[in-house]
């Protein structure tokens, strides 16, 4: 999953933690890579899961609060829409997929104790090894790939090689890839020296993911990358591409049409099996909001 970060990285960081938190609840192994925030701190800030009765109670409170807001701000509906079935904006127990999380609380230490995880914090890695650079790929990306390859092969996630260990899934989270913190200059220069570093990294990573029992989320500060050709290549190398557009500091923040929401979700690409081309979502009007305890997309 390739996520285009919102301008200030607030909501993309939340989605990033949701992905990792789901891995913890499902008993998966984690690999967390960052050049900005230490992986230890990222794990400590994972949202707390809402399980069983707690889930129903919290979700019920949230839905009640949303419905009361909607009632107060109710609008007249055109006659031709009155008889159409209403869409459920919030998830219900009958259609529950995965787990839901309380963003006002952090995950309990008990859940994290049983977690098997690996970290890659670039400043630490740079201090451990001498400078490495191969085939027009910068040193940080090369180190990250080497670390991923080692874990996939040593920990039994290599799908092409029969393993004696019990099968599990490796969830990989890479934060703010392509930023200057990773030593990449595509955000800061019209003529970057390592213009192909990011795309080469994603090409090799895609091959690793294809033959291993793993799933990956990557956040990228796409608003800082002005080169459209690079973004098109990055998109083509990804299975799912989602962009988050925050209303903070924009004209839409004061637009009455968006008064109940905090931003828009742009689904640029979703995977299509057995096809050379990607699929595009039919739904173009998705928005997100952060209400009290739940982050919802409607």
């Amino acid at each position: 999953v390739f996520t285009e970060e919102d301008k200030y990285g607030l909501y993309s960081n939340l989605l990033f933690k949701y992905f990792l938190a789901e891995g913890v609840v499902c008993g998966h192994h984690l690999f967390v890579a960052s050049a900005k925030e230490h992986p230890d701190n990222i794990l400590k800030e994972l949202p707390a899961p809402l399980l069983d009765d707690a889930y129903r109670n919290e979700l019920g409170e949230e839905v009640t609060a949303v419905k009361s807001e909607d009632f107060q701000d109710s609008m007249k509906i055109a006659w031709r829409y009155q008889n159409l079935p209403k869409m459920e904006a919030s998830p219900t127990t009958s259609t529950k997929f995965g787990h839901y999380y309380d963003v006002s609380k952090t995950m309990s230490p008990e859940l994290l104790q049983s977690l098997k995880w690996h970290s890659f914090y670039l400043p630490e890695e740079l201090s451990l090894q001498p400078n490495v650079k191969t085939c027009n790929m910068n040193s940080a990306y090369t180190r990250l790939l080497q670390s991923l390859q080692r874990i996939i092969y040593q920990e039994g996630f290599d799908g092409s090689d029969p393993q004696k260990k019990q099968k599990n899934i490796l969830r990989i989270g890479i934060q703010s890839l392509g930023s200057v913190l990773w030593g990449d200059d595509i955000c800061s220069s019209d003529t970057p020296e390592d213009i192909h570093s990011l795309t080469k990294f994603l090409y090799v990573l895609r091959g690793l993911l294809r033959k291993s029992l793993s799933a990956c989320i990557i956040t990228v500060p796409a608003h800082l990358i002005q080169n459209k050709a690079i973004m098109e290549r990055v998109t083509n190398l990804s299975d799912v591409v989602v962009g988050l557009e925050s209303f903070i500091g924009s004209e839409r923040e004061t637009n009455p049409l968006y008064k109940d929401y905090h931003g828009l979700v742009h689904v640029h690409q979703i995977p299509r099996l057995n096809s050379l081309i990607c699929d595009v979502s039919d739904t173009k009007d998705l928005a997100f909001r952060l209400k009290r305890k739940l982050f919802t997309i409607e």
Side-chain angles (χ1 to χ4, degrees):
V1 181
F2 175 81
T3 305
E4 296 177 0
E5 295 178 1
D6 52 290
K7 195 172 182 180
Y8 299 102
L10 298 175
Y11 301 105
S12 57
N13 195 34
L14 185 58
L15 279 185
F16 183 80
K17 289 175 181 176
Y18 262 59
F19 178 85
L20 297 177
E22 184 69 14
V24 175
V25 175
C26 293
H28 298 162
H29 291 221
L30 298 187
F31 178 94
V32 186
S34 177
K36 176 175 63 174
E37 190 176 1
H38 199 287
D40 289 347
N41 296 331
I42 293 175
L43 283 186
K44 289 176 184 176
E45 294 173 357
L46 295 185
L50 296 173
L51 302 172
D52 302 329
D53 294 336
Y55 156 75
R56 294 190 193 95
N57 294 336
E58 297 288 355
L59 191 59
E61 289 176 15
E62 190 71 25
V63 170
T64 304
V66 169
K67 284 182 177 177
S68 63
E69 288 177 13
D70 292 344
F71 178 76
Q72 292 170 4
D73 302 325
S74 59
M75 300 171 65
K76 290 183 179 179
I77 304 174
W79 65 270
R80 64 194 180 102
Y81 295 128
Q82 285 181 349
N83 295 325
L84 289 177
K86 291 184 179 180
M87 295 290 289
E88 277 292 335
S90 302
T92 60
T93 50
S94 60
T95 57
K96 183 183 172 188
F97 177 78
H99 300 89
Y100 299 97
Y101 299 88
D102 182 350
V103 295
S104 67
K105 299 176 184 176
T106 55
M107 192 171 285
S108 66
E110 291 77 16
L111 266 177
L112 293 174
Q113 278 178 0
S114 59
L115 174 67
K116 291 185 178 179
W117 71 291
H118 309 272
S119 66
F120 181 96
Y121 184 49
L122 185 60
E124 288 181 353
E125 296 293 329
L126 291 175
S127 64
L128 292 175
Q129 300 177 23
N131 192 39
V132 180
K133 184 172 180 177
T134 57
C135 59
N136 293 331
M137 193 186 299
N138 74 20
S139 173
Y141 294 161
T142 303
R143 293 169 197 269
L144 180 54
L145 280 174
Q146 289 173 345
S147 181
L148 268 172
Q149 283 177 320
R150 184 176 66 253
I151 289 163
I152 286 173
Y153 296 139
Q154 291 180 358
E155 300 295 326
F157 298 108
D158 184 10
S160 62
D161 183 28
Q163 301 284 340
K164 294 181 180 179
K165 297 181 181 180
Q166 186 177 0
K167 297 292 183 183
N168 203 333
I169 294 172
L170 178 67
R171 281 194 180 230
I172 303 165
I174 305 174
Q175 193 179 53
S176 291
L177 198 71
S179 71
V180 291
L181 295 172
W182 283 97
D184 205 331
D185 55 0
I186 57 172
C187 291
S188 59
S189 173
D190 293 333
T191 55
E193 181 184 346
D194 295 327
I195 190 169
H196 298 300
S197 266
L198 181 59
T199 48
K200 284 194 174 187
F201 169 82
L202 291 174
Y203 187 81
V204 179
L205 176 64
R206 186 184 178 97
L208 269 177
L209 296 177
R210 283 290 182 270
K211 64 174 187 175
S212 64
L213 302 172
S214 56
C216 180
I217 186 171
I218 298 173
T219 67
V220 173
H223 59 283
L224 298 178
I225 302 175
Q226 302 301 317
N227 192 320
K228 292 183 178 179
I230 291 177
M231 287 308 301
E232 285 182 7
R233 292 184 198 126
V234 168
T235 299
N236 290 336
L237 288 168
S238 307
D239 292 323
V240 181
V241 181
V242 177
L244 297 182
E245 179 187 345
S246 171
F247 293 157
I248 298 174
S250 72
E251 295 177 358
R252 288 176 174 170
E253 190 174 19
T254 55
N255 189 326
L257 179 64
Y258 302 114
K259 62 184 175 61
D260 293 329
Y261 302 98
H262 295 111
L264 299 177
V265 179
H266 305 290
V267 182
H268 299 304
Q269 181 173 297
I270 51 182
R272 177 186 286 170
L273 295 176
N274 303 319
S275 175
L276 292 176
I277 61 172
C278 66
D279 199 1
V280 179
S281 173
D282 295 330
T283 308
K284 303 293 183 185
D285 54 350
L286 292 174
F288 65 82
R289 61 174 160 184
L290 186 58
K291 288 289 184 180
R292 295 174 63 213
K293 299 180 179 182
L294 297 177
F295 178 86
T296 59
I297 297 174
E298 303 173 5

CSV table of all heavy atoms in Angstrom, one decimal, residues 91-116:
chain,number,residue,atom,x,y,z
A,91,PRO,N,-19.3,1.7,10.5
A,91,PRO,CA,-19.3,0.2,10.4
A,91,PRO,C,-20.2,-0.4,11.5
A,91,PRO,O,-20.4,0.2,12.6
A,91,PRO,CB,-17.8,-0.2,10.7
A,91,PRO,CG,-17.3,1.0,11.4
A,91,PRO,CD,-18.0,2.2,10.9
A,92,THR,N,-20.9,-1.5,11.2
A,92,THR,CA,-21.7,-2.2,12.1
A,92,THR,C,-21.2,-3.6,12.4
A,92,THR,O,-20.3,-4.1,11.7
A,92,THR,CB,-23.2,-2.3,11.6
A,92,THR,OG1,-23.1,-3.1,10.4
A,92,THR,CG2,-23.8,-1.0,11.3
A,93,THR,N,-21.7,-4.2,13.4
A,93,THR,CA,-21.1,-5.5,13.8
A,93,THR,C,-21.3,-6.6,12.8
A,93,THR,O,-20.5,-7.5,12.6
A,93,THR,CB,-21.8,-6.0,15.1
A,93,THR,OG1,-23.2,-5.9,15.0
A,93,THR,CG2,-21.3,-5.1,16.3
A,94,SER,N,-22.4,-6.4,12.0
A,94,SER,CA,-22.7,-7.4,11.0
A,94,SER,C,-21.7,-7.3,9.8
A,94,SER,O,-21.5,-8.3,9.1
A,94,SER,CB,-24.1,-7.3,10.5
A,94,SER,OG,-24.3,-6.0,9.9
A,95,THR,N,-21.2,-6.1,9.6
A,95,THR,CA,-20.3,-5.9,8.4
A,95,THR,C,-18.9,-5.7,8.9
A,95,THR,O,-18.1,-5.1,8.2
A,95,THR,CB,-20.8,-4.7,7.6
A,95,THR,OG1,-20.9,-3.6,8.4
A,95,THR,CG2,-22.1,-5.0,6.9
A,96,LYS,N,-18.6,-6.1,10.1
A,96,LYS,CA,-17.3,-5.8,10.7
A,96,LYS,C,-16.2,-6.5,9.9
A,96,LYS,O,-16.2,-7.7,9.7
A,96,LYS,CB,-17.2,-6.2,12.1
A,96,LYS,CG,-15.9,-5.8,12.9
A,96,LYS,CD,-16.0,-6.3,14.3
A,96,LYS,CE,-14.6,-6.2,14.9
A,96,LYS,NZ,-14.5,-6.8,16.2
A,97,PHE,N,-15.1,-5.8,9.6
A,97,PHE,CA,-14.0,-6.3,8.9
A,97,PHE,C,-12.7,-5.9,9.6
A,97,PHE,O,-12.5,-4.7,9.8
A,97,PHE,CB,-13.9,-5.9,7.4
A,97,PHE,CG,-12.7,-6.4,6.7
A,97,PHE,CD1,-12.7,-7.7,6.2
A,97,PHE,CD2,-11.6,-5.6,6.4
A,97,PHE,CE1,-11.5,-8.2,5.5
A,97,PHE,CE2,-10.5,-6.0,5.8
A,97,PHE,CZ,-10.5,-7.3,5.3
A,98,GLY,N,-11.9,-6.8,10.1
A,98,GLY,CA,-10.8,-6.4,10.9
A,98,GLY,C,-11.2,-5.9,12.2
A,98,GLY,O,-12.2,-6.4,12.8
A,99,HIS,N,-10.4,-5.0,12.8
A,99,HIS,CA,-10.7,-4.5,14.1
A,99,HIS,C,-10.7,-2.9,14.1
A,99,HIS,O,-10.2,-2.3,13.1
A,99,HIS,CB,-9.6,-4.9,15.1
A,99,HIS,CG,-9.5,-6.4,15.2
A,99,HIS,ND1,-8.7,-7.2,14.4
A,99,HIS,CD2,-10.1,-7.3,16.0
A,99,HIS,CE1,-8.8,-8.4,14.7
A,99,HIS,NE2,-9.6,-8.5,15.7
A,100,TYR,N,-11.3,-2.4,15.1
A,100,TYR,CA,-11.4,-0.9,15.2
A,100,TYR,C,-10.6,-0.5,16.4
A,100,TYR,O,-10.4,-1.2,17.4
A,100,TYR,CB,-12.9,-0.5,15.3
A,100,TYR,CG,-13.7,-0.9,14.1
A,100,TYR,CD1,-14.4,-2.1,14.1
A,100,TYR,CD2,-13.6,-0.2,12.9
A,100,TYR,CE1,-15.1,-2.5,13.0
A,100,TYR,CE2,-14.3,-0.6,11.8
A,100,TYR,CZ,-15.0,-1.7,11.8
A,100,TYR,OH,-15.7,-2.1,10.7
A,101,TYR,N,-10.2,0.8,16.4
A,101,TYR,CA,-9.2,1.3,17.4
A,101,TYR,C,-9.6,2.6,18.0
A,101,TYR,O,-10.3,3.4,17.4
A,101,TYR,CB,-7.8,1.4,16.8
A,101,TYR,CG,-7.3,0.0,16.3
A,101,TYR,CD1,-7.7,-0.4,15.0
A,101,TYR,CD2,-6.6,-0.8,17.1
A,101,TYR,CE1,-7.2,-1.6,14.5
A,101,TYR,CE2,-6.2,-2.0,16.6
A,101,TYR,CZ,-6.5,-2.5,15.4
A,101,TYR,OH,-6.1,-3.7,14.9
A,102,ASP,N,-9.3,2.8,19.3
A,102,ASP,CA,-9.6,4.0,20.0
A,102,ASP,C,-8.3,4.8,19.9
A,102,ASP,O,-7.3,4.5,20.6
A,102,ASP,CB,-9.9,3.6,21.5
A,102,ASP,CG,-10.2,4.9,22.3
A,102,ASP,OD1,-10.0,6.0,21.8
A,102,ASP,OD2,-10.7,4.7,23.4
A,103,VAL,N,-8.3,5.9,19.2
A,103,VAL,CA,-7.1,6.7,19.0
A,103,VAL,C,-6.8,7.6,20.2
A,103,VAL,O,-5.8,8.3,20.2
A,103,VAL,CB,-7.3,7.6,17.7
A,103,VAL,CG1,-7.4,6.8,16.5
A,103,VAL,CG2,-8.5,8.5,17.8
A,104,SER,N,-7.7,7.7,21.2
A,104,SER,CA,-7.5,8.4,22.4
A,104,SER,C,-6.7,7.7,23.4
A,104,SER,O,-6.2,8.2,24.4
A,104,SER,CB,-8.8,8.9,23.0
A,104,SER,OG,-9.5,7.8,23.5
A,105,LYS,N,-6.5,6.4,23.2
A,105,LYS,CA,-5.7,5.5,24.1
A,105,LYS,C,-4.6,4.8,23.3
A,105,LYS,O,-4.7,4.5,22.1
A,105,LYS,CB,-6.6,4.5,24.8
A,105,LYS,CG,-7.7,5.1,25.6
A,105,LYS,CD,-8.6,4.0,26.1
A,105,LYS,CE,-9.8,4.6,26.9
A,105,LYS,NZ,-10.7,3.5,27.4
A,106,THR,N,-3.5,4.4,24.0
A,106,THR,CA,-2.5,3.7,23.4
A,106,THR,C,-2.6,2.2,23.7
A,106,THR,O,-3.3,1.8,24.7
A,106,THR,CB,-1.1,4.2,23.8
A,106,THR,OG1,-1.0,4.2,25.3
A,106,THR,CG2,-0.8,5.6,23.3
A,107,MET,N,-2.0,1.4,22.9
A,107,MET,CA,-2.1,-0.1,23.1
A,107,MET,C,-1.5,-0.5,24.5
A,107,MET,O,-0.4,0.0,24.9
A,107,MET,CB,-1.4,-0.8,22.0
A,107,MET,CG,-1.7,-2.3,21.9
A,107,MET,SD,-1.1,-2.9,20.3
A,107,MET,CE,-2.3,-2.4,19.1
A,108,SER,N,-2.1,-1.5,25.1
A,108,SER,CA,-1.6,-1.9,26.4
A,108,SER,C,-0.2,-2.6,26.3
A,108,SER,O,0.1,-3.3,25.3
A,108,SER,CB,-2.6,-2.9,27.1
A,108,SER,OG,-2.7,-4.1,26.3
A,109,PRO,N,0.6,-2.5,27.3
A,109,PRO,CA,1.9,-3.1,27.3
A,109,PRO,C,1.8,-4.6,27.2
A,109,PRO,O,2.7,-5.3,26.7
A,109,PRO,CB,2.6,-2.7,28.7
A,109,PRO,CG,1.8,-1.4,29.0
A,109,PRO,CD,0.5,-1.6,28.5
A,110,GLU,N,0.7,-5.2,27.7
A,110,GLU,CA,0.5,-6.7,27.7
A,110,GLU,C,0.5,-7.2,26.3
A,110,GLU,O,1.0,-8.2,25.9
A,110,GLU,CB,-0.7,-7.1,28.4
A,110,GLU,CG,-0.7,-6.9,29.9
A,110,GLU,CD,-0.9,-5.5,30.4
A,110,GLU,OE1,-1.3,-4.6,29.5
A,110,GLU,OE2,-0.5,-5.1,31.5
A,111,LEU,N,-0.2,-6.4,25.4
A,111,LEU,CA,-0.3,-6.8,24.0
A,111,LEU,C,1.0,-6.7,23.3
A,111,LEU,O,1.4,-7.6,22.5
A,111,LEU,CB,-1.3,-5.9,23.3
A,111,LEU,CG,-2.8,-6.4,23.2
A,111,LEU,CD1,-3.7,-5.4,22.5
A,111,LEU,CD2,-2.9,-7.7,22.4
A,112,LEU,N,1.8,-5.7,23.6
A,112,LEU,CA,3.1,-5.4,23.0
A,112,LEU,C,4.1,-6.4,23.4
A,112,LEU,O,5.1,-6.7,22.7
A,112,LEU,CB,3.5,-4.0,23.2
A,112,LEU,CG,2.7,-2.9,22.6
A,112,LEU,CD1,3.1,-1.5,23.0
A,112,LEU,CD2,2.7,-3.0,21.0
A,113,GLN,N,4.0,-7.0,24.6
A,113,GLN,CA,5.0,-7.9,25.2
A,113,GLN,C,5.1,-9.2,24.3
A,113,GLN,O,6.2,-9.7,24.1
A,113,GLN,CB,4.6,-8.3,26.6
A,113,GLN,CG,5.1,-7.2,27.6
A,113,GLN,CD,4.7,-7.6,29.0
A,113,GLN,OE1,4.1,-8.6,29.3
A,113,GLN,NE2,5.0,-6.7,30.0
A,114,SER,N,4.0,-9.6,23.8
A,114,SER,CA,4.0,-10.9,23.0
A,114,SER,C,4.4,-10.6,21.6
A,114,SER,O,4.5,-11.6,20.8
A,114,SER,CB,2.7,-11.6,23.1
A,114,SER,OG,1.7,-10.7,22.6
A,115,LEU,N,4.6,-9.4,21.2
A,115,LEU,CA,4.9,-9.0,19.8
A,115,LEU,C,6.3,-9.4,19.4
A,115,LEU,O,7.2,-9.1,20.1
A,115,LEU,CB,4.6,-7.5,19.6
A,115,LEU,CG,5.0,-6.9,18.3
A,115,LEU,CD1,4.1,-7.4,17.2
A,115,LEU,CD2,4.9,-5.4,18.3
A,116,LYS,N,6.4,-10.0,18.2
A,116,LYS,CA,7.7,-10.2,17.6
A,116,LYS,C,7.9,-9.2,16.5
A,116,LYS,O,7.1,-9.1,15.6
A,116,LYS,CB,7.8,-11.6,17.0
A,116,LYS,CG,7.8,-12.7,18.1
A,116,LYS,CD,8.0,-14.1,17.5
A,116,LYS,CE,8.1,-15.2,18.6
A,116,LYS,NZ,8.3,-16.5,18.0
